[in-house]
Amino acid sequence: MTDAVLTFAQTGPRKVDFFSEEAMARVQKRYRAEARFKAYGLGAVVLAGIFVVILLADIVSKGLPAFFEHRIALTVTLDAAKIDPEGKRDIEVLRAADYQRLIYDGLREEFPGVSDRRDRRKLEGLVSTGSGNDLRTLVLRNPSIIGQKTTLPVLLSDDADLYLKGIGTRVERAVGKGTLDIKQQGKTVELVGSAGAFAAPLADVKARLKRLASATEFELQGLSAAQATANAALEARREDLTARVKDFRQRSGDPASAETLDPATMPSELVEIAGGLVRLTEIAPGRAAGVVLLPLAADATRSDSWHRTTYTTPESNRRITDIEIAWLESLRGRKLTEKGFAWRFFTNGDSREPELAGIRGALIGSALTLAVTLLFCLPIGVGAAVYLEEFAPKNRLTDILEVNINNLAAVPSIVFGLLGLAMFLNFFGLPRSAPLVGGLVLALLVLPTIIIASRAALKAVPPSIKEAALGVGASHQQAIFHHVLPLAMPGIMTGTIIGMAHALGETAPLLMIGMVAFIVDIPQAISDPATVLPVQIYLWSDLPEVAFQAKTAAAIMVLLAFLFVMNGAAILLRRRFEQRW
Amino acid sequence: MNSASILTAEAPNAAASAGLAPEPKVVARNVDVHYGEKHALKAVSVDIPARAVTAFIGPSGCGKSTFLRCINRMNDTISTCRVTGEITIDGQDIYDPRLDVVLLRARVGMVFQKPNPFPKTIYENVAYGPRLHGLASGKAELDEIVERSLRRASLWEEAKDRLGESGTGLSGGQQQRLCIARAIAVSPEVILMDEPCSALDPIATAKIEELIDELRTNFTIVIVTHSMQQAARVSQRTAFFHLGTLVEEGATDQIFTNPRDRRTQDYITGRFG
Amino acid sequence: MVHREAFVAGLYFILMIVLALGAFIITRSSAARLAGTATIHSRPTYHGLLAAMQVFLPMLAILFFGSLLATRFVEQQSLAAMDPALLADELHRGAAYRDIRRFAAGGAVANATDGLKAGAATFAYLNTLTQWAIAGIGLSAGLAGLLFGLRTVTAEFRARNRFERIVAALLLACAGLAVLTTVGIVFSVLFETVHFFQKVSPVDFLFGTHWSPQQAIRADQGGASGSFGIAPLVVGTLLISTIAILVAGPIGLFAAIYMAEYASPKFRAWAKPILEILAGIPTVVLGFFAALTVAPVIREVGTALGLNVASESALAAGLVMGIMIVPFVSSLSDDVITAVPQSLRDGSLGMGATHSETIRRVVLPAALPGIVSAFMLAISRAVGETMIVVMAAGLAANLSFNPLDAVTTFTVQIKTILVGDQEFDSAKTLAAFALGFVLFFFTLTLNVIALAIVRKYREQYD
């Protein structure tokens, strides 16, 4: 000690000049590091926030259209001979009638010119295959309308619906200049006008060719760079591309040469004239040839009032053909189309047809499943929490119990699915795909969450309350069940709601126990085959139809809405009953 | 070492200077502190002499620790805390917005109530400050600072063979000496000690007190203590705080033998505490 | 058929509740009458509760164990009538039993044999019989409980103590269920895994580099064992998890630091719910986002940069999975950072350290064990995550470390093998359980270690 003091006395304190330039620069550097560090932190939080916003915006923008559907007001003749040939109004006969056919007939009356078999099929494809069902419901409810003409909203098919929602292609329309001579020859038409009549569409086609040339060249370069080594198939492809580039370049180079429109690469060019619609197949500066989509006035030979219409997406790149667009535009022009809220989305079960598919089955399935989950995990979870918090002796066994529960909370959910499959289905022989089994599996899954939350709630009740109850002669259990547990209830409820929200969003274990079947029927009982909302989302997300993408996103919106409500309720409950002792 | 009289007898110069209070190192004028709505410190004015030990005493909650924390602006870390008035060190206002709090704390070190060594090695604990402030240009110099600081803190003999072990593995008294070593490693001018012995046993306390007495030849030391005996043993000047006000301040001898204020007398005679 | 079973079960439940309620009311009033004449030890309510328990619990136990036994018995007896040659293995037995049940329920079964018809008759007869037997036994047990409860209504009978003993036992059973669940998991995966290893060598499984379970469906396809090497799955799982941790680690940790150390209460009030929203988003939603939004973007960007990106790249799944575990990392890290005592911060600040220096040099090292365990739990979660990878990562078992390739994971393979119709004894199906086994023990090990570290860490600063 003395030694230390001596040393210290000899050397004396080392003086450091904190105000030298060097020191100040050092401090500035340290503060810059401080600012940087803080910015990283803020950046991380903001990044997470941005992600949430992007995710939600993406889902909403994708899903919102699915809440609306397009219908056409169609006049249908309810021909008694077709619906009820015997005239007995027997309900079974009425039910069995082919209402879909009646709707198709009504549709064909709107477009009398459609005679070709393929075109007829296409025309019928505009309306949903479920629209007959709507008509059946209408007739069964009021059989007296049989024999009359009635106008009813008819649901459009998914592709037609998507087109009207603006997802198929953009349509551009411009007034045509000059007078055109019309030469009709069956389905084909030749239009001849002044030298510049078709200059604008031709120029667009040439410009498009130029872009195609560049794009193809780019692809060619990529191909050459990617595969240096020769390969027969690759070589052929390269040659083909080279030839095409050359062709495109040559054609786009000459502004006056006539062009044939290829539906695979070119936007559709159409001409509205004489009450009809012509799709152009060939364009020259002063004349054009095409096929009739909507019939022209039979006697029309010349017209000075015409429009140029362009469907910007090439026909091969969309699911809806030119003629279908023409029909839909015609219907729209006659104010027969209408947009409405798609109640069907909430009242229908699953379907293979996107426009008919709804989430009712999944919602009921989720409700049944969650009911089973709640019924099992709330009493058991609270019981376990009460035991661990109030009755468990402090020994190794209790330790193991605790560690076990904490670990169970971190077991991957799919493993619970394996448990459900091996135990509940194969060992106990419970029914596959049933909410009963799903509920049990989810109950085991959220049990740790509820136990942990309940224990925290019980722990938060001050011991003085229990002591007071014991002091007036209550038994240990009376003290807990009469005093401690009621006070812990808000906390337990909060934990339970959060657990239920977790169960509502859980998918993987339910896949294991067969809740992924395609189920059209709405489940009635916990032993019926059913699916749940997240699984429905998963199923739909896998389907190729574009319309199902929107349905998926819409189902996600419903799911998230439920989750937000549940979590909001939990937060509210916590705020409302939060008690600081 | 056992009473103020012996201490003053052994260090007459210090006692004399303490009595006259020349060359004040820290000067506080009209310092008020609010914690949100609470008025924790009211119009405190005091001079703290250089190279002496000044003790703040008073019942708990009287504001003595609050005032101590004002001297190196540790109260800045509490968002609701508001400090008004003036505190200067060597004539420089420490609440001047141009003053850098980081540099201030390098000049005014602090030792806390509970020993709080970082969960690092003993060596790293002491080297922490010099590294922060760039006081050592190389490993050798850093080693030297560590050794010198540990020696000054009377911990070298006990710790020299275990510099690589965790600082949290030391005993309570050793931990507190490590914290003192950590504080003096940056060569501060003032060392603030907030009840440094309250968590320690009597033997460890005695060692720390001995250390404080040694340190005062080089440092200005301000110690908050709840023990009047300790204040009497280690300090040359004593300030008595009560209910947020500075009641009385003067040479330790005078405060303990002949207090001017009635409240001081009541406190040191144990009528309240 | 199913509906009638459900009906009987429902009836039984209702009877159980009615009987228990009845026992409660009768016994309580009987005890109350007694209380009018003498001083009784336990309050009438406890006599009632005890009687209700004595009715309810035996009936529940009889239903549970009775159904379990009855199912086995009925299956065995119905299959006894069938040609044993047709029941060579579990697979055929299952199919035959399904046919029997369908036939018994009045459904159509293609070319029903006489054996099947006989089996169906046996099934129908025994199924009804056992159901009524269970109902009968259960009912008599309930009535016995009621009578017993009534008989024990005496002044000195300690009904409360006995009831509380039953309640304590029930509570213990509730807590024990958690252990039972773990045991159930271990057994259900272990059992099938052992089966699997009877068909496929563990060495091939653990060290094989080729995974294609589809080829082993038919027994006559030789070399089936060569198709069960999990190396590509291990690599795929680790690749995706690594990407996820690389995303979630820095973001989660920095977010936690900011929230715990810098954020004003007002900012926290805004930011915390955002992180909670992120934590509450179901993984199926994130999977959809990964597959339909992130993957195409990555593919487009990659193509623009001249890279060859698989449409189901590991990067897309990994990125979104990383986002998923951000709130997980941040909330766990937030907890451990907050748990670092203020005195350490004061010590460092008092030395003249800036806030960030204090965090980097004192707080984070002090919180390191907790942060490490948070990362371990996050890895465990990433490894066990299913939906994102099912939807956004592929099925192709490529042994590739390139994040732009399609890879597959344990969970994807388990899901792929087990969803849809499976034959329960095939090596392919069993392989799923073996994968589950590996997955479970891997994550369990991580969790046990991580939770042990957290526990120790908490103790250090409590």
Side-chain angles (χ1 to χ4, degrees):
Chain A
M1 189 66 78
T2 347
D3 185 36
V5 175
L6 273 178
T7 316
F8 146 71
Q10 281 153 5
T11 51
R14 212 178 81 106
K15 268 289 159 205
V16 180
D17 183 5
F18 282 111
F19 299 94
S20 65
E21 293 243 319
E22 195 191 345
M24 288 315 260
R26 197 185 148 76
V27 168
Q28 287 315 310
K29 207 176 134 205
R30 285 169 64 194
Y31 275 123
R32 277 197 299 278
E34 165 80 26
R36 252 195 327 272
F37 189 77
K38 193 172 171 181
Y40 292 152
L42 184 61
V45 179
V46 169
L47 208 61
I50 288 176
F51 179 80
V52 171
V53 171
I54 291 179
L55 174 72
L56 295 182
D58 182 56
I59 299 284
V60 169
S61 71
K62 280 203 175 95
L64 216 48
F67 288 108
F68 298 95
E69 61 186 19
H70 280 90
R71 300 176 277 251
I72 50 173
L74 195 65
T75 306
V76 178
T77 313
L78 296 169
D79 189 347
K82 283 182 186 161
I83 298 173
D84 188 14
E86 292 168 34
K88 287 186 193 154
R89 297 289 185 266
D90 179 11
I91 201 96
E92 285 307 316
V93 175
L94 293 187
R95 194 172 302 221
D98 187 356
Y99 294 94
Q100 196 68 36
R101 191 73 261 153
L102 295 176
I103 289 188
Y104 290 156
D105 290 346
L107 195 60
R108 280 178 59 193
E109 273 170 40
E110 295 289 338
F111 296 100
V114 180
S115 50
D116 181 52
R117 238 182 94 102
R118 267 196 15 230
D119 282 351
R120 236 162 56 198
R121 180 96 21 99
K122 266 188 191 158
L123 180 60
E124 288 168 1
L126 286 184
V127 296
S128 166
T129 50
S131 53
N133 253 331
D134 293 352
L135 182 57
R136 172 180 297 136
T137 315
L138 191 78
V139 170
L140 288 177
R141 201 178 294 155
N142 182 13
S144 66
I145 58 170
I146 295 176
Q148 298 170 7
K149 272 192 171 201
T150 181
T151 302
L152 77 160
V154 172
L155 184 66
L156 288 176
S157 72
D158 55 332
D159 288 333
D161 181 58
L162 281 178
Y163 171 74
L164 288 177
K165 283 170 180 165
I167 294 164
T169 173
R170 208 169 70 239
V171 176
E172 286 167 359
R173 197 157 175 268
V175 180
K177 276 180 243 135
T179 308
L180 295 182
D181 288 324
I182 306 166
K183 292 175 197 160
Q184 296 196 52
Q185 268 182 337
K187 292 285 291 179
T188 59
V189 174
E190 198 179 349
L191 304 167
V192 182
S194 59
F198 295 102
L202 192 59
D204 284 353
V205 170
K206 299 284 182 189
R208 171 98 184 166
L209 279 172
K210 210 167 168 182
R211 281 203 301 280
L212 277 172
S214 319
T216 317
E217 205 155 45
F218 183 76
E219 193 186 343
L220 188 63
Q221 277 165 6
L223 210 61
S224 313
Q227 298 294 122
T229 51
N231 167 318
L234 218 68
E235 205 50 53
R237 173 106 181 105
R238 215 174 293 172
E239 268 166 30
D240 175 47
L241 287 178
T242 318
R244 283 174 64 184
V245 170
K246 201 173 151 214
D247 176 45
F248 290 147
R249 286 246 178 276
Q250 194 185 3
R251 282 158 64 190
S252 63
D254 179 3
S257 66
E259 282 297 335
T260 313
L261 296 176
D262 174 11
T265 53
M266 289 288 164
S268 300
E269 290 287 350
L270 305 102
V271 170
E272 274 173 55
I273 192 166
L277 189 66
V278 179
R279 181 180 63 199
L280 303 185
T281 50
E282 238 183 287
I283 310 182
R287 54 165 284 283
V291 290
V292 174
L293 291 186
L294 298 178
L296 282 59
D299 53 350
T301 55
R302 199 177 159 78
S303 171
D304 58 356
S305 151
W306 59 283
H307 288 89
R308 171 199 171 196
T309 308
T310 314
Y311 303 159
T312 52
T313 311
E315 191 174 23
S316 314
N317 294 0
R318 46 181 143 88
R319 289 180 54 87
I320 191 155
T321 57
D322 286 345
I323 189 159
E324 287 168 306
I325 296 180
W327 287 326
L328 287 171
E329 287 298 339
S330 159
L331 288 168
R332 177 137 74 179
R334 283 182 270 167
K335 304 243 181 292
L336 290 177
T337 59
E338 59 177 40
K339 186 180 182 182
F341 189 79
W343 290 111
R344 223 176 282 272
F345 184 64
F346 295 98
T347 56
N348 277 16
D350 197 6
S351 167
R352 291 283 181 223
E353 302 299 328
E355 74 274 11
L356 296 175
I359 54 168
R360 173 128 179 258
L363 278 180
I364 306 264
S366 273
L368 290 172
T369 307
L370 281 196
V372 173
T373 303
L374 186 64
L375 211 65
F376 272 84
C377 73
L378 184 57
I380 292 177
V382 174
V386 168
Y387 177 78
L388 287 173
E389 205 50 48
E390 303 287 350
F391 294 105
K394 293 272 168 277
N395 58 21
R396 261 192 81 73
L397 205 71
T398 312
D399 256 17
I400 291 174
L401 256 173
E402 283 207 53
V403 169
N404 184 26
I405 287 169
N406 287 333
N407 279 314
L408 215 49
V411 168
S413 63
I414 195 168
V415 173
F416 283 93
L418 291 178
L419 171 74
L421 177 60
M423 276 289 172
F424 296 138
L425 297 191
N426 291 329
F427 187 71
F428 289 128
L430 293 174
R432 263 179 92 82
S433 311
L436 172 64
V437 182
L440 286 176
V441 169
L442 291 182
L444 294 182
L445 183 71
V446 297
L447 196 57
T449 315
I450 292 184
I451 294 178
I452 291 167
S454 303
R455 287 191 66 181
L458 287 168
K459 203 178 268 180
V461 178
S464 61
I465 301 233
K466 190 168 82 186
E467 282 156 13
L470 292 176
V472 295
S475 73
H476 190 184
Q477 282 195 11
Q478 284 170 330
I480 285 156
F481 286 106
H482 297 173
H483 298 281
V484 179
L485 197 55
L487 287 172
M489 227 44 205
I492 293 175
M493 286 337 282
T494 309
T496 307
I497 294 174
I498 289 169
M500 287 296 114
H502 178 184
L504 176 60
E506 195 53 72
T507 319
L510 301 181
L511 302 182
M512 300 290 102
I513 54 158
M515 290 189 92
V516 280
F518 170 68
I519 293 156
V520 179
D521 298 326
I522 312 291
Q524 308 291 333
I526 54 169
S527 53
D528 285 352
T531 189
V532 294
L533 201 48
V535 175
Q536 186 75 73
I537 289 167
Y538 165 67
L539 286 172
W540 281 352
S541 75
D542 234 16
L543 296 174
E545 285 93 342
V546 184
F548 267 123
Q549 258 190 45
K551 290 269 168 184
T552 314
I556 288 175
M557 286 168 71
V558 174
L559 177 64
L560 290 183
F562 272 108
L563 290 178
F564 286 162
V565 167
M566 287 170 87
N567 283 310
I571 291 169
L572 223 64
L573 200 67
R574 194 161 53 200
R575 293 236 175 106
R576 179 100 170 64
F577 291 98
E578 195 172 50
Q579 213 157 351
R580 299 232 173 265
W581 302 96
Chain B
M1 201 67 215
N2 292 326
S3 75
S5 57
I6 293 174
L7 200 145
T8 42
E10 278 178 0
N13 288 342
S17 64
L20 297 169
E23 52 157 336
K25 180 78 179 172
V26 181
V27 177
R29 289 291 172 268
N30 284 319
V31 175
D32 277 57
V33 177
H34 293 261
Y35 287 118
E37 292 295 299
K38 195 175 165 244
H39 199 172
L41 214 56
K42 295 161 197 161
V44 173
S45 299
V46 67
D47 289 1
I48 293 166
R51 289 164 209 263
V53 178
T54 305
F56 292 170
I57 59 169
S60 46
C62 66
K64 55 191 193 297
S65 283
T66 301
F67 182 63
L68 188 78
R69 290 168 68 93
C70 287
I71 301 174
N72 72 343
R73 290 179 55 180
M74 278 304 279
N75 283 329
D76 288 13
T77 58
I78 300 160
S79 58
T80 57
C81 180
R82 199 158 45 80
V83 181
T84 55
E86 191 188 57
I87 301 177
T88 60
I89 295 179
D90 291 338
Q92 189 182 16
D93 182 4
I94 66 164
Y95 280 89
D96 184 336
R98 283 167 301 176
L99 180 124
D100 194 289
V101 67
V102 162
L103 289 182
L104 170 72
R105 288 179 192 154
R107 290 169 62 197
V108 185
M110 186 157 189
V111 176
F112 297 83
Q113 186 167 2
K114 215 177 127 215
N116 57 351
F118 302 135
K120 298 165 174 269
T121 63
I122 294 172
Y123 182 92
E124 286 299 320
N125 261 288
V126 182
Y128 182 74
R131 281 214 175 108
L132 278 181
H133 299 290
L135 301 186
S137 52
K139 173 86 173 109
E141 200 178 343
L142 193 61
D143 286 349
E144 194 201 321
I145 294 178
V146 170
E147 180 176 341
R148 199 168 56 219
S149 307
L150 284 171
R151 281 190 192 281
R152 278 188 197 167
S154 320
L155 194 61
W156 178 249
E157 291 305 322
E158 290 152 83
K160 67 180 175 196
D161 297 326
R162 42 196 290 208
L163 291 176
E165 287 172 30
S166 173
T168 49
L170 296 171
S171 72
Q174 288 172 325
Q175 283 191 10
Q176 196 61 301
R177 275 182 280 148
L178 177 61
C179 291
I180 292 172
R182 188 176 69 187
I184 58 185
V186 289
S187 308
E189 296 155 37
V190 182
I191 299 177
L192 309 176
M193 297 189 175
D194 189 356
E195 304 196 22
C197 303
S198 67
L200 304 181
D201 61 69
I203 295 170
T205 302
K207 272 200 167 152
I208 301 276
E209 286 178 3
E210 198 179 333
L211 176 59
I212 291 171
D213 195 48
E214 282 159 11
L215 289 174
R216 98 180 127 88
T217 42
N218 291 89
F219 300 98
T220 302
I221 293 174
V222 186
I223 179 170
V224 162
T225 176
H226 59 276
S227 147
M228 282 171 288
Q229 289 77 11
Q230 186 173 56
R233 283 195 298 267
V234 300
S235 74
Q236 287 76 53
R237 292 191 73 82
T238 297
F240 172 62
F241 285 75
H242 182 52
L243 296 176
T245 53
L246 176 66
V247 174
E248 186 174 352
E249 189 264 344
T252 302
D253 273 352
Q254 175 250 312
I255 294 280
F256 280 93
T257 53
N258 187 21
R260 283 189 290 268
D261 196 285
R262 172 97 198 152
R263 286 171 289 175
T264 316
Q265 188 168 13
D266 284 353
Y267 183 68
I268 59 175
T269 53
R271 285 216 192 126
F272 68 89
Chain C
M1 196 74 224
V2 171
H3 275 105
R4 214 191 67 204
E5 278 172 24
F7 174 72
V8 175
L11 196 71
Y12 190 90
F13 263 107
I14 292 169
L15 260 174
M16 203 155 77
I17 289 162
V18 166
L19 261 180
L21 263 179
F24 174 75
I25 293 167
I26 295 170
T27 318
R28 189 180 61 169
S29 60
S30 153
R33 269 199 306 281
L34 186 66
T37 58
T39 327
I40 62 171
H41 170 272
S42 298
R43 285 180 36 225
T45 306
Y46 278 102
H47 285 276
L49 283 173
L50 182 62
M53 280 286 190
Q54 281 165 351
V55 171
F56 190 77
L57 292 181
M59 284 186 81
L60 194 65
I62 286 167
L63 177 68
F64 183 75
F65 291 107
S67 305
L68 206 61
L69 280 176
T71 320
R72 311 264 120 178
F73 176 70
V74 171
E75 179 176 351
Q76 202 187 13
Q77 291 300 313
S78 343
L79 287 174
M82 294 198 52
D83 182 1
L86 289 176
L87 309 172
D89 55 32
E90 197 63 39
L91 195 66
H92 288 96
R93 287 175 70 92
Y97 191 52
R98 269 199 294 281
D99 280 348
I100 286 177
R101 288 175 61 146
R102 197 178 310 142
F103 192 81
V109 173
N111 45 40
T113 59
D114 284 343
L116 188 119
K117 285 177 185 163
T122 321
F123 173 81
Y125 170 68
L126 282 181
N127 196 38
T128 318
L129 187 74
T130 49
Q131 274 182 36
W132 288 115
I134 291 168
I137 296 170
L139 209 60
S140 17
L143 285 172
L146 171 61
L147 285 179
F148 184 71
L150 272 176
R151 258 179 45 130
T152 53
V153 179
T154 57
E156 57 277 6
F157 181 63
R158 302 183 162 218
R160 182 176 59 73
N161 302 40
R162 176 143 335 169
F163 174 73
E164 289 188 346
R165 267 212 300 284
I166 294 177
V167 169
L170 283 179
L171 292 179
L172 176 63
C174 287
L177 191 76
V179 178
L180 220 58
T181 307
T182 311
V183 173
I185 289 174
V186 171
F187 270 94
S188 51
V189 291
L190 194 67
F191 193 63
E192 311 297 350
T193 306
V194 170
H195 267 223
F196 175 71
F197 285 139
Q198 284 164 359
K199 294 175 190 259
V200 177
S201 136
V203 177
D204 289 342
F205 179 70
L206 290 175
F207 302 107
T209 56
H210 185 61
W211 174 267
S212 63
Q214 314 302 339
Q215 291 176 2
I217 291 175
R218 285 197 344 253
D220 57 316
Q221 282 174 325
S225 58
S227 311
F228 287 104
I230 59 169
L233 310 191
V234 173
V235 169
T237 305
L238 290 184
L239 179 62
I240 291 180
S241 306
T242 308
I243 297 170
I245 285 297
L246 287 180
V247 172
I251 296 182
L253 188 55
F254 268 111
I257 290 170
Y258 190 80
M259 300 288 273
E261 296 282 342
Y262 287 109
S264 64
K266 213 168 163 189
F267 183 87
R268 246 201 310 273
W270 272 100
K272 256 220 142 80
I274 289 178
L275 287 172
E276 274 166 13
I277 287 177
L278 196 52
I281 290 176
T283 54
V284 68
V285 176
L286 292 170
F288 175 78
F289 182 70
L292 269 88
T293 307
V294 178
V297 168
I298 287 176
R299 199 170 145 74
E300 261 169 45
V301 171
T303 313
L305 294 173
L307 295 169
N308 190 16
V309 185
S311 60
E312 297 183 317
S313 65
L315 188 58
L319 279 181
V320 174
M321 196 188 276
I323 297 290
M324 174 195 88
I325 51 180
V326 161
F328 196 70
V329 173
S330 76
S331 78
L332 286 173
S333 306
D334 195 334
D335 284 352
V336 294
I337 289 172
T338 319
V340 172
Q342 185 62 32
S343 68
L344 284 184
R345 287 190 191 88
D346 284 349
S348 173
L349 292 172
M351 304 281 307
T354 64
H355 202 157
S356 68
E357 284 162 348
T358 302
I359 295 166
R360 271 181 299 157
R361 302 204 186 177
V362 175
V363 176
L364 290 186
L368 194 64
I371 291 172
V372 167
S373 70
F375 274 63
M376 287 171 78
L377 288 173
I379 293 172
S380 143
R381 170 143 309 192
V383 167
E385 166 50 34
T386 309
M387 292 321 290
I388 294 176
V389 281
V390 162
M391 293 165 86
L395 286 172
N398 294 324
L399 189 62
S400 164
F401 293 96
N402 180 355
L404 301 179
D405 276 350
V407 293
T408 192
T409 69
F410 276 81
T411 49
V412 172
Q413 289 303 322
I414 295 174
K415 178 257 156 195
T416 310
I417 292 172
L418 289 183
V419 167
D421 286 327
Q422 345 107 11
E423 318 89 60
F424 208 73
D425 235 9
S426 81
K428 182 187 156 201
T429 308
L430 294 176
F433 283 90
L435 290 180
F437 179 79
V438 176
L439 179 66
F440 176 67
F441 276 91
F442 180 70
T443 52
L444 186 75
T445 313
L446 272 180
N447 297 339
V448 169
I449 296 172
L451 291 172
I453 294 175
V454 168
R455 219 174 173 195
K456 231 176 163 169
Y457 173 77
R458 291 255 160 79
E459 280 165 8
Q460 186 189 334
Y461 289 124
D462 265 351

